[in-house]
Structures are given as structure tokens and as C-alpha cells.
Amino acid sequence: MTRSPLRRAGFRLTAIASLGVAVVALPVAAGAATSSAAVAARPAATAAKLAVLPRMVTSPPGPCGVGTTVSYDLYAKAGTMSLPGLTGTVPIFGYTATAGAALTAPGGPTLVACSGQTVQITLYNGLAEATSLLVSGLPGVPDRTGIPAAGVPKTYSIVVGAAGTYLYGAGLTTNAEHQSAMGLYGALVVRPASAVGQAYPAATTTFDDEAIVLVSELDPALNGSTTPATFDMRTFSPKYSLINGQPYPGTSTIPTSAGKRLLLRYLNAGTQPHSMAVLGLNQTLVATDGSPYADARHVVAETFGPGQTADVIAAIPATATAGTTKYALYDAGLSLNNNATTGLGGALTFIAVGANTAAGPTSVVTAITTSTLPVTITGFTGTITSATPGAAITSARYFVDSTSGLGTAVGSLAANATSPATVSEPLTSPITTPGVHTIYLQGVDANGTGALAQLSFTIPVATATDTQAPTTSALALSPNPSNGTVPVTLTAQASDIGTGSSDIASATVTVTGYTGPALTVAVTKSGLGTANLLATIPAGLASGPHTVTLTSRDTAGNTSAAVSATLTVDTVGPVTAGVIAAPNPTNGKIGLNSGVPAVRVTATVTDAASVVGGAEGFIDTVGALGAGFLFSPVDGQFDNLTEAVYADIPLATVATLSNGPHTILVRGKDALGNWTTATATGALTVDKLVPTFTGITLSPTSVLLSAPTVALTLTGADGTGSDVVGGEWWTGSTNIMAGTGTPFTGTNPGLAIGSLAPGTYTVRVRIIDAAGNWSTVVRTATLTAALDAIFANGFETGTRPWGWTSASTNTTSRLDVSSGAALAGTRGLQAQGNNTNYVQYNYGTGASPAWPTFDARFSFVPNGNTSSGTDIFVAAGTSYNTANTALRVRYRLNVGQPQVQIQVGTANANATWTNLVGGTTVNTIEVVWQAGTTLQLYVNGALAQTLTASNVSVQTFRLGSVTNTGNNTLMYFDAFSAKRSTTPLFGP
């Protein structure tokens, strides 16, 4: 038997009776109160908006509201929240419906509209960075600029067409990616205008209850960052999965009743796919991304990606037990832990079955309360009747013209009034606007929330003489700017509401610079005292700004104040400049880089009035408009007055061009279709000719390997098409593939030869020109490299001082060579420890100056010498003396253990000693000196001590009993070698 994923996660599939959930009945959610300026501009019946909830549950949904526009306020702000498994709180982003509301979870309120309506969302930015708004899947031009921190609010107007579930959130500003991840998202529900209780026009989408299930993720590394705007989103790694802004167990349950059809509106505001399942229920998928299926699909779980939405209906069995049955709704991908802590968490909640009883009470609006003329609606009366005889009516609420929001509580209803209950309710805001109005009434009893009742009525136009002028507003011109070759459409609105309520009779429009017949304005009545205005401005206006002025006139003869707008006519194309080709020169084989096998042409296109719309290029000869190769904007979109553009000419095309100079010609056009009258030009040199040279010289031709470089000079170098810029070199008897040698630049480079071994080499050179052409000829020269040894001596030959510069004494009992002291070969140096008995080598004279790097190595046997501290090797600078001592190696016998140490200069600052092997075993001592950097001691091949070196350069050194602080036991030395390099020899 296949085990449930939840059971595998450790979840026990038993009803949890302790998690009692009450069914919450809410009307269609709406936006919060807006700014005073926005309120003043709206009809009185829709000016006030109530707060909305992040999670919406309706049972059943009410009808669509009256009117063509719904308005909401969203406040983008920062807040904090607590998370399971974390101490303290983490910062979050989100939206609230009011300015003063605290943000305690990511996400925003659920917004609701009906198909065909216009949704106006006013966005207030309370963040410390710019932000904008985008509704995915609905028409609108993306706002890539947004509102700066503490900037002026923006109103986004969106015409919603088909019904569906849509995701809104951070728009396409620079910071959108991390803003969305931190919580700038929410749900917009669009209902079918004429199908109450259905998700879509099809009857198969009928439902009783519904819930928003908005899935997202949270990464504490992003939210806790002190600079989230610079967070690398490639490292975004969510530790929490959320439903409606919370991880389990903080998620809210979804209430419903037995036998109900529950609509689940899934939205993925995260960065990862989610597969949502309901344990114990099948789901009927009716739509994705607001697009309904012709034939619904039955699924156990449906996976939807970032930014997607899905609508499913789950049928609750009629046998489900009220107050006990619960169905787990969870991410079937098992994102069910909180920051890797134990126990269930993440994207998990429950559908809880409540009481399955009769429907709520029936309401009737019986009459409207009015005052004398001019007509003012001041209240209404109604009756609320329960389906259960004698039941108590617990509460009631009413709506005016729209069922958006939570409504207004009916204050005239007595507490627990007995059914049927009569109410006589005054309106909180009397209605005076002429036209059709509707009062909705809804009651609640122990059975639940009843259906909405409604009564419509009309306020007639005032009978008094209208002496007030109408208002003209919303003047818009399209296209604007225009290229003057097409007519421009003018739209506007006129209203006499509140200023006499007369109908709009006519309108007049004038355009500066227009000399044709008088323009006609079509007036279409859109409601009592309101009209839409439409006019056409003919093509042919001169280039430049034109002022369009519009007035309207009501049937009483009153003329409105004029409104105006500027129509920009742009007939001039943009200016193109800065044409550059790269690489240049080119041989037609080497592209811009390994990922772009082409010559890239860049330019700048600037227009004075319209955004740039494109650009094209030609090689050598200009063709017809639109016939050239196309350019792309560097920033990915043509949306500015100045655009940096580029185009790639394939290498296959470049290779067909002749050798020599060519001209790249570029011209741009603006978004209105105006091409520039002149092209901008740039040079491109094609060079497919190989460079030549007659020979090479090396200086010097014999070097020590310690020398950093050898000078190379090219003789007779000639770039037959373009200049020689460098080449490559290698050693060996054969040629190699071009481009695989050691590169150099210029014609007189230095060749680094430090990695060569001692020997004689044939140095081979090939050159390259600026176009990337390699020479076919390879020239050679001979180089001899020698070791950088300074001095080596094994005391095998010669008489005193046995190959050294000098010896400290002629007394053979104190200092001599003998076969008994031989540690390598047949003879070695023996030195008595209680006197200055040493040999000295002077190197730094004449043409051989002092060297800052030095490596010395010798064999040593203490032979039982009991010195408590004597120098056995010292290196110094010019004119050997204590003032310019560089380094010393010291020996002692400590409690029977022979030891050595190093010192810098004459002070005994180093207290560390390293053990030697006693008896007759040979020890290898090696010191490595780097002036101003380090002094290192190696004993028998192992690094033993490291000190900081002084800036002394070494010229002389002594070996033996350099100081007279020891005793008279002979010490043995042999196999001495010294070199300039600082690579230790290691090993014995």
C-alpha cells in the first residue's frame, strides 16, 4: 500500500477535534480609505472603502457592485514577524490597506473586481527604496520607474476583462526581485459580472465557499540582510514555505460545511514551483492563470510555477462530520519544515468542516426614507426572517450601491432580535446624487449568513434652474507624441453631477496650429448628467508642441472651464553618434570574445521628443530604410530618449570583406517611425595579411637562472596590414600550434626564463598583428642558462683555506680538514668549539654585488660538543662585522640533547631551539634568507623555524666555530653549498 506523503513526514491522519474553526462569512473584499484628493474625485457612493483581509472567504459571494470603477489604496511598507525556529523577528515587506496599519506578515490584502470594471489602485511607498505595482496577466504598461522613497503616490488604472485569479506585486523596477521575495505580493479576484456564485461564466464553476491560498517562500538570509537591495538573489535559499504569509502552525484554517463546493484560488508568489494537494479530497481544476478549461480536469495535486495561479473546486462530502472533520491542504512536494527544525511546518493548513445547518435568514428592504425636495435619501426599513421559527437574528449589515467591503452594521436591530425582525436604519451618509441607487441588506442568525436583499431607487434631477457649469476632465490624446501622419484621438469626460445635474449637450475643442475646418466632438451620455467625449484631430500638424483645449456645455447652457493638454508632433528622426566596431582591426576569424563570434558595433541614438524605437546599420553603402542589419538596446528595451545600441556582424560576413578600410554606417528611428536623415559612421579595418619579421636577438644570450628576464628584440617586424602588437615564444626543436606558446606584448619584451633548467635552448618566436593574424615564419635564437650557485665546497682538495677565501687560524689542532671529519666524500672540516675557528668566503666584490636572497646548506655533526650556545654559521653584508650581520645559526647541548636555532642580526631574540640527531649521525642544516621578508631554518629536510628578516643583503659568510663561547670538543662540517635562489633543497 502506498503511504501518504504526510504520513511519511510523521503526520498522524486522525481528526483533530481541538482545532475548532467557525465559518467566516465575508462579502467581496475591497480597498481602504484613500487620500482626501482621491476621495473628492470619486462619486459619493464609492468614496469610502473598508479594509480588506489577506485571506478571503465568502459564503456565498455577493453580486457585483454598481458602477464601472472600483478603487483601492495599497501602502507598501516594512514590518517584522516571528518565525518558528528563529529567535527574535525578521524584517518583511508587504502591503496594508490603510496608512496606520501595522505589517505583521508578508503579502497584502485581497482585491476584488468584476469583469468589465476598471480597477484604480493608488500605491503609497513607505519603503526606503523605489517601488512600483504590476498585476500579472492583465493589460497595462509596466512601470519601470516607480515611486521613490517617500515619493508622490501613483494611481494605476487597470481594465479587467475576463474573470479569474491574478497576482499583483512589485513592478519591474531595479529592486523588484528582492521586493517580491520579501513580501510585496497579493491577490486580485475578478468575478464574472453576471454569474453570481460562479468563478467563471461556465455553470460548472459554481461554488458555495471560497478561499485564497497564496503560497510563497522566505529566506532569513535575505530578510535579515542589512542591505537587501544588494543581496545576490542567485543565493536565495528559502527556509520557510508560507500560506497567506504564515508557515504552519501559524496558518489559518479554511472553514466550510459538509456538502459544499469549496473554490480554492491558488497563487504562487514564490520563486519555486509548488504542488498543492488536499489529503482525502479530489480537486477539479477549472482554470490556470485566469484561463478556464473547456473541460475541467480532476487532479490529486496540481503543480504551478512562480507567478502562476490556479482555480480548483473541492467537493466536501455530505457525510463530513461538523466540528471534527478536517482535510490537510499542503505542498505535496513536502516543503513542510520550518528552517530544518523538527516537526511539521511550512506550506500546510486545514480545511475545517463546520456545522451543516439550514441557510441564514432572508432579508427584505421594504422602503426608502427620504426628505423633502431636493430629494435626500436618509435611511431605509427592512425585515429579516430566519428559516428557523422563533430564531434570534444576531446581526445585520447594509451596503450602498456596492457590496464591496464589510458593510455597515445595522444599529437599529435589537440584540438577538426574534425573527422576523424589523429594522429602521438611518444612513451614515445621506444620498443626494441624482441617478439610480441600491440599498443591500444582509442578516445573520445561528444558521449562518443570509443572502443579500436589495432595493433600487432613483433620485431625479433637481427641478430648479441649473446655473452652474459642468466640469470637463480626463482629457487624453492618442497617440501622443504623434509623427503627424495619422489622426490623433481625443477622449475626455464631462459631468454636471453636483453642479445642477443637467445632461451634457455639446463640447468644443481647439488646437493651436490647426487651420482646417472646425473640429467636431461626439458626446455620448454615460449616465445621468455625465457623458464621454470623443474627437479626432486630423493628421498633418507641423512638428512641435500644440495646445489642445476642450470645454463642455450642459443643456442649461452653462460652459465648463477649459481643460488643456499638449500634443507633441514629432516628424524628425533621432541623431546617431559614436559608432565603434570591436575588435578593430579584424581578420574575420577572431570575434568579440569566446561567446560572441562576431564583430560588435555599438552606437548611441538620441531623439529630442520621442523615445528611440530602433536602429539599423550598413557596411560601406547605405541601403533603403529598414533594409540594414538591426541593432538591439543595451538595456534590453527601447524606452528612453537616448539609447545605447549594439549589433553583431557575424565573422562569416566579415571574412568576405576585402582587405583594407571599411565604413560602418548607422541610422536610428524613433518610436513614431521617424528615421534619421543622416547616418553616423565608424571605421572597420579588415586585415587578413600575415605579419613578417627577419629575425630576433636575445640580450644576454648566456644568463644565470636567477636573472628575472632576457630582453627580446624583433628585427624587421612588419605588420603588412596592421601593426605588430606582440607574439609568443617557446623552447624546443619543433614548432607548436599558434597561440599555445608563452605570450608577450610589444616588439621588445622581456622573456621570463626563471622556470628553465640549466642548459642550452633554442628560443622560437612567432609574432601577431592587431587583427589577430599570426606570422607563418618562426625565428630562432640560442640561449644558455646556468645555475645561480654562489659557492660550493666539500673540503676535498687544496691546502688551507681549502678553496675558501680565508681561515681564522693556522693551528691545525683548532681548525683543519681530516678523513675523520668527513661527512660526505673523503674529507671534512673539524673546528674546535672554544675558539674562533672558522673558514670564510667573500663573494660580494667587483662585478658580483650583494644579493638580497640567499640559500646555504651544510652537513653537521656536533660530536658531543657541550657548548651552551655558539655560532656555527654566520652570513653578513659588506666588510664582515657585527653591524651588518644578516643571520646566524647557533648550536648547544641541552641536557644531553644537541639543538640548533636561527637568529636575525646579533641579538638572541629567538628562544626556540630545534633538536638534532645525536651521536655520529649526520644532520643537514639549511637556511633560506629573503631580505626584508623571512629567515627560515630547515633541519634534516623539515621546516623548523621562521623569523622576520632584516633588509641586509648577503656578501660574506663563515662556517665553523664562529664564536669562542663553546668548549674544546671538535665539531665536524662538510658538503657546503650556497645559491641565490630561495628554493630549499630539502632532504639530507
Side-chain angles (χ1 to χ4, degrees):
M1 179 180 68
T2 302
R3 301 181 65 193
S4 159
L6 278 181
R7 188 180 293 277
R8 291 198 300 269
F11 182 71
R12 298 182 61 196
L13 302 180
T14 57
I16 307 175
S18 62
L19 297 178
V21 179
V23 175
V24 179
L26 299 179
V28 179
T34 60
S35 66
S36 58
V39 171
R42 301 179 192 161
T46 59
K49 295 295 179 182
L50 297 176
V52 288
L53 300 178
R55 180 174 61 89
M56 179 191 67
V57 181
T58 68
S59 177
C64 282
V66 175
T68 60
T69 300
V70 290
S71 302
Y72 295 102
D73 287 343
L74 286 179
Y75 292 81
K77 60 180 61 175
T80 59
M81 72 178 298
S82 299
L83 288 169
L86 289 182
T87 57
T89 59
V90 295
I92 55 172
F93 287 172
Y95 301 103
T96 62
T98 59
L103 183 70
T104 58
T110 297
L111 312 181
V112 180
C114 296
S115 59
Q117 288 183 325
T118 296
V119 179
Q120 289 185 344
I121 303 174
T122 301
L123 178 64
Y124 298 79
N125 185 11
L127 302 175
E129 56 189 86
T131 189
S132 66
L133 188 72
L134 177 69
V135 181
S136 300
L138 292 180
V141 178
D143 180 5
R144 298 179 62 187
T145 303
I147 309 169
V152 177
K154 277 190 179 181
T155 298
Y156 298 84
S157 184
I158 305 165
V159 178
V160 296
T165 303
Y166 303 94
L167 186 70
Y168 72 82
L172 303 181
T173 60
T174 303
N175 297 329
E177 191 173 21
H178 83 268
Q179 288 178 357
S180 297
M182 289 188 68
L184 288 190
Y185 46 73
L188 170 63
V189 172
V190 179
R191 301 193 185 285
S194 59
V196 177
Q198 294 177 193
Y200 293 90
T204 55
T205 64
T206 300
F207 63 92
D208 302 300
D209 297 335
E210 68 179 326
I212 295 294
V213 183
L214 195 157
V215 186
S216 59
E217 303 114 20
L218 189 149
D219 182 1
L222 167 63
N223 289 65
S225 172
T226 57
T227 55
T230 60
F231 185 86
D232 187 350
M233 290 300 295
R234 293 173 297 180
T235 66
F236 182 76
S237 179
K239 301 300 186 294
Y240 295 87
S241 291
L242 315 177
I243 291 180
N244 296 328
Q246 295 287 348
Y248 184 83
T251 52
S252 299
T253 57
I254 298 173
T256 188
S257 301
K260 299 290 187 180
R261 286 167 59 85
L262 173 63
L263 172 64
L264 299 173
R265 297 183 182 269
Y266 292 123
L267 303 97
N268 187 351
T271 63
Q272 301 177 346
H274 292 276
S275 182
M276 303 307 294
V278 180
L279 193 64
L281 295 178
N282 287 326
Q283 302 181 88
T284 300
L285 180 65
V286 298
T288 55
D289 295 325
S291 300
Y293 292 102
D295 298 306
R297 296 160 44 192
H298 299 285
V299 298
V300 174
E302 178 66 10
T303 300
F304 55 109
Q308 286 191 301
T309 69
D311 299 320
V312 304
I313 294 176
I316 309 300
T319 57
T321 305
T324 301
T325 303
K326 291 179 176 64
Y327 301 96
L329 188 157
Y330 66 101
D331 188 341
L334 296 183
S335 298
L336 302 178
N337 64 317
N338 293 328
N339 201 22
T341 56
T342 58
L344 285 177
L348 168 66
T349 188
F350 292 90
I351 299 172
V353 179
N356 186 13
T357 59
T362 301
S363 302
V364 177
V365 182
T366 56
I368 302 299
T369 307
T370 64
S371 66
T372 58
L373 291 175
V375 176
T376 299
I377 308 302
T378 60
F380 67 92
T381 59
T383 303
I384 305 171
T385 305
S386 175
T388 303
I393 306 301
T394 57
S395 65
R397 55 189 151 191
Y398 73 89
F399 303 83
V400 177
D401 288 339
S402 171
T403 57
S404 298
L406 300 178
T408 303
V410 176
S412 60
L413 179 68
N416 295 318
T418 303
S419 173
T422 300
V423 297
S424 180
E425 186 71 9
L427 297 179
T428 57
S429 299
I431 304 172
T432 60
T433 306
V436 178
H437 297 276
T438 304
I439 296 291
Y440 298 91
L441 178 64
Q442 187 176 47
V444 180
D445 63 8
N447 296 325
T449 303
L452 285 163
Q454 67 183 58
L455 179 64
S456 298
F457 54 92
T458 301
I459 296 179
V461 177
T463 58
T465 301
D466 180 5
T467 61
Q468 295 177 287
T471 59
T472 305
S473 62
L475 173 59
L477 304 169
S478 179
N480 189 17
S482 167
N483 66 3
T485 63
V486 295
V488 174
T489 299
L490 177 153
T491 58
Q493 296 176 353
S495 174
D496 204 40
I497 299 299
T499 56
S501 299
S502 297
D503 284 338
I504 304 301
S506 63
T508 302
V509 62
T510 61
V511 181
T512 59
Y514 172 70
T515 59
L519 300 177
T520 301
V521 181
V523 178
T524 303
K525 185 176 180 179
S526 58
L528 188 64
T530 61
N532 293 324
L533 309 180
L534 176 67
T536 299
I537 302 172
L541 289 174
S543 185
H546 300 264
T547 301
V548 180
T549 305
L550 178 68
T551 60
S552 61
R553 186 180 180 90
D554 63 19
T555 55
N558 302 301
T559 301
S560 73
V563 294
S564 62
T566 299
L567 170 62
T568 300
V569 177
D570 178 13
T571 62
V572 179
V575 175
T576 306
V579 178
I580 299 175
N584 187 22
T586 177
N587 62 1
K589 298 179 182 179
I590 301 175
L592 181 68
N593 53 49
S594 60
V596 182
V599 170
R600 173 158 294 181
V601 180
T602 57
T604 302
V605 184
T606 302
D607 195 88
S610 307
V611 299
V612 174
E616 65 176 354
F618 302 88
I619 302 175
D620 293 332
T621 303
V622 177
L625 292 176
F629 55 86
L630 298 180
F631 282 71
S632 300
V634 172
D635 64 359
Q637 187 171 352
F638 286 114
D639 57 357
N640 293 301
L641 293 177
T642 298
E643 290 284 355
V645 298
Y646 73 94
D648 292 333
I649 305 176
L651 291 179
T653 299
V654 178
T656 63
L657 299 175
S658 61
N659 278 311
H662 293 269
T663 302
I664 305 297
L665 305 100
V666 181
R667 64 184 170 204
K669 70 174 180 177
D670 60 24
L672 303 178
N674 298 307
W675 285 97
T676 185
T677 57
T679 58
T681 60
L684 174 65
T685 298
V686 176
D687 174 14
K688 294 177 280 187
L689 303 174
V690 300
T692 61
F693 64 128
T694 58
I696 62 172
T697 58
L698 299 177
S699 178
T701 58
S702 179
V703 296
L704 295 176
L705 291 178
S706 59
T709 59
V710 169
L712 166 69
T713 300
L714 302 175
T715 56
D718 179 22
T720 52
S722 54
D723 293 338
V724 174
V725 294
E728 62 181 354
W729 71 281
W730 68 99
T731 60
S733 58
T734 59
N735 291 339
I736 60 175
M737 183 181 298
T740 61
T742 302
F744 62 82
T745 58
T747 57
N748 293 282
L751 307 185
I753 50 85
S755 62
L756 296 178
T760 299
Y761 296 90
T762 298
V763 175
R764 297 178 179 270
V765 174
R766 178 187 289 121
I767 62 173
I768 190 172
D769 63 21
N773 298 301
W774 286 101
S775 65
T776 56
V777 175
V778 175
R779 303 298 181 184
T780 63
T782 301
L783 175 70
T784 300
L787 285 172
D788 60 349
I790 297 171
F791 175 68
N793 187 274
F795 305 101
E796 295 296 317
T797 61
T799 59
R800 187 182 302 270
W802 313 290
W804 292 70
T805 303
S806 62
S808 61
T809 178
N810 291 323
T811 305
T812 57
S813 60
R814 291 170 50 190
L815 181 70
D816 202 357
V817 295
S818 67
S819 59
L823 307 180
T826 60
R827 297 199 304 175
L829 178 70
Q830 58 186 30
Q832 195 176 63
N834 62 340
N835 287 285
T836 53
N837 304 310
Y838 57 84
V839 289
Q840 177 172 322
Y841 187 81
N842 301 330
Y843 180 78
T845 58
S848 300
W851 54 93
T853 57
F854 174 68
D855 181 9
R857 183 174 187 253
F858 58 91
S859 298
F860 175 62
V861 172
N863 200 32
N865 187 288
T866 60
S867 173
S868 60
T870 186
D871 293 348
I872 60 173
F873 178 75
V874 180
T878 309
S879 302
Y880 190 102
N881 58 60
T882 56
N884 59 21
T885 297
L887 66 97
R888 297 179 295 133
V889 180
R890 304 183 70 218
Y891 162 77
R892 77 175 183 182
L893 186 68
N894 182 34
V895 194
Q897 175 64 54
Q899 298 175 327
V900 292
Q901 68 171 190
I902 51 176
Q903 298 288 351
V904 175
T906 59
N908 293 328
N910 179 24
T912 301
W913 291 85
T914 299
N915 292 339
L916 298 176
V917 180
T920 60
T921 303
V922 177
N923 295 276
T924 300
I925 309 297
E926 186 166 2
V927 285
V928 178
W929 173 262
Q930 298 183 77
T933 307
T934 59
L935 167 63
Q936 295 174 306
L937 170 67
Y938 291 83
V939 175
N940 295 324
L943 178 61
Q945 298 174 29
T946 300
L947 301 178
T948 300
S950 64
N951 282 318
V952 175
S953 292
V954 175
Q955 286 189 312
T956 60
F957 40 86
R958 295 175 176 178
L959 179 69
S961 177
V962 183
T963 57
N964 59 2
T965 56
N967 73 352
N968 59 2
T969 302
L970 292 172
M971 297 180 289
Y972 298 156
F973 303 85
D974 206 348
F976 180 87
S977 63
K979 57 186 178 68
R980 295 183 187 87
S981 64
T982 57
T983 305
L985 299 175
F986 300 109

